[in-house]
Amino acid sequence: MQYRNIFLASMAVLALTATSCSTDDAPAELAVPTAYSFNRNATTSVDFSGQKSRLLMLDAMGEYIKVNATIGVNDTKLVAMYSNTGSPFSASDLNASGKQLFDKTASSTDYFSLNLGGGSSVEQQAVRNLFSATFVDAKNASQGATAAAGVAGLYLDVSTSGTSKRLFAANGLEPQQVLLKGMMGACFMDQIVNNYLSVNKLDAVTTKADNTNKVLVSGKNYTEMEHNWDEAYGYIYGADDLTTTPSTPVYKFWSSYINQVNADVDFNTVSADINLAFRKGRAAITANDYATRDAQINIIKTKIALIPAVRAVFYLQEGKGKLTVDGGAKAFHALSEAYGFIMSLRYTNKPGTNNPYFSKSEVDTMLASLTSGTNGLWDINTLPAKCDAISIQIATKFGFTVTQAATVN
Amino acid sequence: MKKVILFLGIAAMLFACSGESSSSNTDTFDRKGMLENWADNIIIPSFQNYQSKTSALATASATFTTTPTEANLTALRASWLEAYKAYQKVAAFEVGKAHDLMFRYYNNSFPVSVSDINANIAAGDNQLDLLTKFDEQGFPALDYLLFGVGNDTASILAKYTTDTNAAKYKSYLMAVSTRIKSFSDLIVADWTTGGYRTAYVLNNGTGVSSSTNKTINLFVQYYEYYLRSVKIGFPAGKFSATTRPSDVEAYYKNDISKELLEIGLQSSKDFFNGKHFNSTTTGLSLKAYLDYLNVVRSGESLSTTILSKYAEASTSIGVLNASFSQQIQTDNTKMLAAFDALQKNVVCFKIDMIPALNVVIDYQDNDGD
């Protein structure tokens, strides 16, 4: 049982009454640090260890499928990793973390507790089952068969001298990519924009009051609201490692894809925009400046939604360009990435709407279209038109062109 | 992660209700009158009804264990069902003696541990007052003993007649029934002759330990946890990797899980309306309190919204199979839809009603990192 320390900040209460009446005094400039570094009493107040754990868990699941592609994937092992039961990870700190991906899949406050944005328990269970199905797909594809139309199996990309081994389900989708990209949406994106950056969570009666009065979570150096913000941050940057030796920084999941989108001149501010908004919002929370915080929430929600949109179009176009190689199989990795990023679009949150940029049914229609051919992706003659139609649909919604997304220049 | 939320008067004044409803500093609502209505017209009569049904259950158990015939088994099963229905009408009121006795914990923890019950019977161990034996007694244990110890009535009856352990079966059955009755006797006695009614009504302030605060917390917790999560969410796999059809209430009788939930939901709604037990008369209530404070959400009075959400929940539950385990196996999406329909009032209660009434939530909903 926890008790909270109370630091009755009369200053904060005074500040509140001050902000509620209009004065001519310009508010003091918010001090925003150049890195995501915040201290209280000379000790860091930032903590996103739980998010880091989940990012590394998904990473480990992807790696497990990859490593065992030719020797047999055990779906039971993946189920255990998904729910973190029975010490399934090689990293003992993950096993002992008390965290798991399963119960945070499609479980945000906004979409799956308040059931805004079309969310429901039925959807939650369906998407969790979908991920579980990718484990079985990976297992079935790893039993030694060669991938072919209607046959789950292994695809060896000869152009990479066989170093690239991909498992395809019978419909040509790569279960590993559906898992990785789909989970980036159903877990990470959902938790970021529909949970930790949701005012329904951040402004829950005691959460807001406690932050204003700087009531810290028991035994911690942060308020609940500060921590919520850190958790959103952690789902993007939590598993980055900028201190590796030799000095090749590691970026994982959304952080990595933000960089990849940012590398294109057409979107070359998105990385800085998102990062600044996180730092500014965190500073605003500490300063009880909720208007500034809310402005940053809107920036983050808008910019982060762009990432799966741009990458989905990029991969659709990349896949389309490879359909002539290996009977089309060379394209399926990219198309599977696109498939997962399209899945992610369902978990975006358009500011002011309580809804994603694309509804669940719109997303489901796009996904169904991609795999609607005989034996799914293997019906390659139908794919170019489908890839273009979906690309245009996504690009139009977000106000960029297919060409802008397709070429990183 | 467990949290105790401390009541910060000034903070609550600043942040409750987002300025949409009248503030509580002019709150002169007759809380004492509401507590009197709750105690005298709802809680005490509900427990007295429950007491008479558990008394009949104990009598029927005695009759059956003395004369274990099929007719007496049938009568005992009927008594059990009547008492179980009556239980649904008091389960939200775990205050006073019921709280001290851990009433719900001992009387309705399911799924039962069949292996432990069987071990108890084999050992002749009828000691049920241990904390570890919560899932070896109460209504779920009777569910197993009367409907689950054999594949049909004849084989169930045999356990109490020709089985090597027949005497132990009868003894265990009697111990479970007697304990259920004893709880109801103690609770009714405390409310009526024990002075608890007076103490309950006098404790009419607004603090965390006030009767109003405690009862409202129990009301919301019952709705959220017992109606929504326990009766639907857990068996429907809302919180697990797979569905758990055998975790429904009254699994062995099997065809009453829906009925028990509907009674609980109706009781919750009746309490919200301040409706007297077994009467159409209504008195001071949560509804009256919200209306008095003129609490409005999205242009509609909150009490109207809450009642419409009750109706939605009823409709959603209405389409379910009488047997939830059957429903889960045939079409679990309807169970999940019912969960979501119940969830709507959880939101109204916790986000709108509780702050409007200046109540502090004192139970945990786990929301880890």
Side-chain angles (χ1 to χ4, degrees):
Chain A
M1 199 162 273
Q2 287 204 355
Y3 295 90
R4 294 178 174 211
N5 305 318
I6 299 186
F7 295 94
L8 275 178
S10 51
M11 292 284 295
V13 177
L14 278 174
L16 260 182
T17 39
T19 50
S20 61
C21 32
S22 57
T23 62
D24 293 333
D25 302 336
E29 190 64 39
L30 195 64
V32 181
T34 53
Y36 198 85
S37 168
F38 299 90
N39 295 327
R40 172 172 285 111
N41 303 325
T43 310
T44 182
S45 59
V46 176
D47 177 14
F48 44 78
S49 58
Q51 287 59 48
K52 179 178 181 178
S53 294
R54 288 193 189 85
L55 266 57
L56 294 175
M57 284 175 187
L58 184 60
D59 201 44
M61 291 173 80
E63 193 62 22
Y64 172 79
I65 294 173
K66 186 177 169 184
V67 167
N68 292 280
T70 54
I71 54 175
V73 170
N74 181 344
D75 57 323
T76 310
K77 167 87 169 176
L78 285 163
V79 169
M81 293 169 105
Y82 190 21
S83 57
N84 192 13
T85 46
S87 299
F89 298 101
S90 50
S92 57
D93 57 335
L94 292 187
N95 294 329
S97 66
K99 311 298 177 197
Q100 53 166 282
L101 288 162
F102 174 83
D103 69 0
K104 294 294 181 189
T105 304
S107 68
S108 60
T109 298
D110 279 3
Y111 285 5
F112 298 100
S113 177
L114 298 174
N115 293 332
L116 301 167
S120 70
S121 292
V122 173
E123 180 186 356
Q124 176 186 70
Q125 205 159 80
V127 75
R128 290 175 179 181
N129 290 341
L130 185 152
F131 289 123
S132 299
T134 66
F135 308 157
V136 178
D137 286 341
K139 173 193 171 183
N140 293 340
S142 67
Q143 302 303 305
T146 299
V151 181
L154 182 74
Y155 165 63
L156 281 177
D157 187 343
V158 289
S159 68
T160 63
S161 319
T163 52
S164 172
K165 301 179 177 68
R166 306 276 179 202
L167 295 177
F168 294 153
N171 67 353
L173 276 178
E174 192 181 345
Q176 190 227 30
Q177 285 303 311
V178 175
L179 169 67
L180 293 176
K181 275 41 183 204
M183 194 73 74
M184 283 170 66
C187 179
F188 306 162
M189 176 75 79
D190 187 50
Q191 286 294 304
I192 294 162
V193 297
N194 305 317
N195 196 61
Y196 291 123
L197 297 185
S198 158
V199 291
N200 295 314
K201 184 170 183 73
L202 292 169
D203 287 355
V205 174
T206 50
T207 308
K208 188 164 187 177
D210 286 352
N211 183 69
T212 300
N213 297 306
K214 295 297 169 267
V215 178
L216 304 187
V217 174
S218 173
K220 304 292 184 182
N221 199 29
Y222 46 68
T223 68
E224 183 79 22
M225 193 189 292
E226 288 168 343
H227 186 46
N228 285 341
W229 194 267
D230 291 345
E231 289 170 299
Y233 178 89
Y235 271 117
I236 295 180
Y237 303 101
D240 289 0
D241 186 355
L242 311 182
T243 59
T244 51
T245 326
S247 58
T248 315
V250 173
Y251 302 97
K252 295 283 187 190
F253 299 113
W254 288 120
S255 174
S256 166
Y257 284 100
I258 288 170
N259 292 342
Q260 292 177 55
V261 171
N262 198 79
D264 183 342
V265 67
D266 297 306
F267 309 101
N268 66 359
T269 63
V270 69
S271 175
D273 290 345
I274 291 172
N275 198 278
L276 173 63
F278 267 109
R279 285 179 281 120
K280 199 168 180 179
R282 180 58 153 79
I285 286 170
T286 304
N288 294 348
D289 179 355
Y290 300 116
T292 299
R293 179 203 69 178
D294 292 349
Q296 308 318 302
I297 290 174
N298 290 347
I299 291 169
I300 296 167
K301 284 180 173 180
T302 305
K303 302 283 179 182
I304 194 72
L306 196 61
I307 308 303
V310 171
R311 290 315 282 183
V313 174
F314 171 85
Y315 284 119
L316 285 168
Q317 294 303 310
E318 183 184 66
K320 193 181 90 170
K322 292 180 174 175
L323 287 168
T324 55
V325 184
D326 291 345
K330 176 132 175 96
F332 295 176
H333 171 66
L335 294 177
S336 298
E337 295 221 44
Y339 189 94
F341 278 123
I342 294 167
M343 280 174 69
S344 291
L345 290 171
R346 184 271 170 274
Y347 303 94
T348 58
N349 186 310
K350 188 176 183 182
T353 68
N354 285 329
N355 278 296
Y357 283 84
F358 282 112
S359 70
K360 179 181 187 300
S361 69
E362 288 172 319
V363 166
D364 287 348
T365 302
M366 289 187 242
L367 296 173
S369 163
L370 260 187
T371 55
S372 63
T374 309
N375 297 318
L377 298 180
W378 289 99
D379 195 359
I380 58 173
N381 292 324
T382 65
L383 283 175
K386 292 172 182 172
C387 289
D388 284 340
I390 298 169
S391 295
I392 291 165
Q393 189 182 352
I394 294 171
T396 304
K397 170 77 75 176
F398 285 88
F400 56 83
T401 67
V402 173
T403 308
Q404 283 178 314
T407 49
V408 177
N409 54 354
Chain B
M1 185 188 293
K2 294 196 167 188
K3 292 175 187 168
V4 171
I5 294 166
L6 296 175
F7 181 73
L8 299 168
I10 190 157
M13 303 269 272
L14 283 167
F15 291 104
C17 317
S18 55
E20 277 194 78
S21 64
S22 63
S23 86
S24 55
N25 49 18
T26 57
D27 179 0
T28 55
F29 184 76
D30 183 7
R31 265 189 304 275
K32 182 164 176 286
M34 180 170 69
L35 292 171
E36 285 170 342
N37 187 48
W38 286 351
D40 298 340
N41 301 317
I42 302 175
I43 302 178
I44 293 172
S46 299
F47 269 116
Q48 285 169 329
N49 172 65
Y50 175 68
Q51 182 186 32
S52 79
K53 298 292 193 288
T54 59
S55 180
L57 170 65
T59 303
S61 297
T63 303
F64 173 70
T65 51
T66 307
T67 318
T69 63
E70 185 172 342
N72 286 339
L73 175 62
T74 303
L76 171 55
R77 285 169 163 180
S79 295
W80 167 82
L81 181 54
E82 284 306 300
Y84 211 172
K85 289 181 191 173
Y87 169 86
Q88 307 299 329
K89 301 176 185 179
V90 296
F93 309 133
E94 202 176 55
V95 286
K97 183 64 74 176
H99 177 265
D100 298 342
L101 290 169
M102 292 192 284
F103 175 64
R104 290 187 293 223
Y105 180 74
Y106 281 121
N107 279 278
N108 199 28
S109 289
F110 56 90
V112 284
S113 173
V114 166
S115 58
D116 286 346
I117 292 176
N118 290 342
N120 291 342
I121 291 169
D125 176 3
N126 294 348
Q127 194 193 348
L128 298 172
D129 55 356
L130 301 175
L131 282 173
T132 48
K133 298 207 171 182
F134 67 100
D135 58 354
E136 300 159 40
Q137 59 184 295
F139 290 99
L142 291 180
D143 178 39
Y144 170 67
L145 291 167
L146 301 178
F147 299 93
V149 291
N151 291 328
D152 53 28
T153 299
S155 59
I156 292 168
L157 198 56
K159 294 286 184 193
Y160 300 91
T161 50
T162 57
D163 192 278
T164 322
N165 282 332
K168 290 174 178 174
Y169 269 96
K170 288 186 282 193
S171 166
Y172 196 77
L173 173 73
M174 203 61 223
V176 173
S177 297
T178 306
R179 186 161 157 86
I180 290 173
K181 175 182 182 295
S182 72
F183 271 52
S184 71
D185 290 342
L186 288 166
I187 293 165
V188 169
D190 193 53
W191 273 102
T192 52
T193 56
Y196 183 66
R197 185 267 176 206
T198 305
Y200 177 83
V201 169
L202 281 178
N203 187 5
N204 61 0
T206 54
V208 175
S209 61
S210 67
S211 294
T212 309
N213 209 78
K214 276 195 292 189
T215 309
I216 293 174
N217 262 289
L218 283 164
F219 165 82
V220 175
Q221 181 210 22
Y222 175 73
Y223 187 96
E224 176 178 28
Y225 184 72
Y226 290 94
L227 293 183
R228 186 203 64 163
S229 294
V230 175
K231 294 184 200 289
I232 293 218
F234 294 147
K238 176 71 188 180
F239 307 101
S240 55
T242 54
T243 58
R244 293 156 33 181
S246 60
D247 286 5
V248 298
E249 196 167 18
Y251 173 66
Y252 298 97
K253 173 78 172 80
N254 201 262
D255 60 356
I256 57 167
S257 39
K258 173 182 173 180
E259 185 182 11
L260 296 179
L261 170 59
E262 286 180 322
I263 294 169
L265 183 65
Q266 184 65 44
S267 302
S268 172
K269 181 181 153 188
D270 288 347
F271 182 82
F272 178 78
N273 283 324
K275 191 175 97 54
H276 296 186
F277 182 79
N278 268 1
S279 151
T280 54
T281 311
T282 57
L284 289 177
S285 61
L286 289 171
K287 178 182 185 299
Y289 202 166
L290 289 171
D291 291 346
Y292 167 86
L293 294 171
N294 193 28
V295 183
V296 173
R297 289 290 178 274
S298 311
E300 181 177 68
S301 79
L302 180 59
S303 69
T304 302
T305 306
I306 286 171
L307 289 173
S308 74
K309 303 299 180 204
Y310 268 117
E312 284 181 46
S314 294
T315 303
S316 194
I317 292 163
V319 304
L320 300 173
N321 191 309
S323 161
F324 283 171
S325 66
Q326 293 283 321
Q327 183 65 59
I328 290 163
Q329 283 158 324
T330 52
D331 181 5
N332 192 49
T333 63
K334 287 194 173 68
M335 288 288 283
L336 294 170
F339 179 97
D340 286 354
L342 284 162
Q343 170 69 11
K344 291 180 181 180
N345 253 345
V346 173
V347 174
C348 288
F349 293 149
K350 292 178 86 168
I351 294 183
D352 295 321
M353 182 177 86
I354 292 241
L357 299 180
N358 264 334
V359 169
V360 180
I361 291 271
D362 67 4
Y363 68 95
Q364 294 84 27
D365 50 352
N366 291 319
D367 184 20
D369 291 353

